[in-house]
Amino acid sequence: MEKPINLQELSPEEKLKYEIAGELGLLDKVLEDGWKTLSAKETGRIGGLVTKRRREEKKKEE
C-alpha cells in the first residue's frame, strides 16, 4: 500500500504541480492512481502551466 501524500510536506515545485492538477480536474486521478496514469497530453499541460507560472513569478520579482 502506498503512503498517502501529505501536501504540507511537499517542495514548492511539487505543491505547484498538485495545485495545477487540481485546477485541471486531474487531482483525484493523480492521488488515486499516481502521475504515471496521466496521458502525455495531460502531463504536458501541467508542465506547460508550471513553466508559465514560474515565468510570471520571475517577472513579478523584477
Side-chain angles (χ1 to χ4, degrees):
M1 186 172 164
E2 285 187 36
K3 180 180 158 191
I5 297 164
N6 184 346
L7 297 176
Q8 272 61 46
E9 294 179 2
L10 297 174
S11 67
E13 179 79 16
E14 287 289 309
K15 281 183 186 177
L16 184 57
K17 274 177 40 179
Y18 281 98
E19 182 181 312
I20 291 172
E23 291 172 10
L24 296 176
L26 300 170
L27 186 58
D28 289 337
K29 187 175 178 181
V30 169
L31 293 176
E32 287 176 22
D33 303 319
W35 290 104
K36 60 186 169 188
T37 61
L38 297 180
S39 70
K41 184 176 181 179
E42 292 166 335
T43 54
R45 184 80 177 121
I46 291 170
L49 289 171
V50 166
T51 302
K52 181 180 176 184
R53 295 244 178 112
R54 273 202 242 126
R55 283 188 190 140
E56 289 171 354
E57 288 175 17
K58 199 171 186 177
K59 280 186 179 180
K60 287 180 186 177
E61 291 173 3
E62 292 178 352

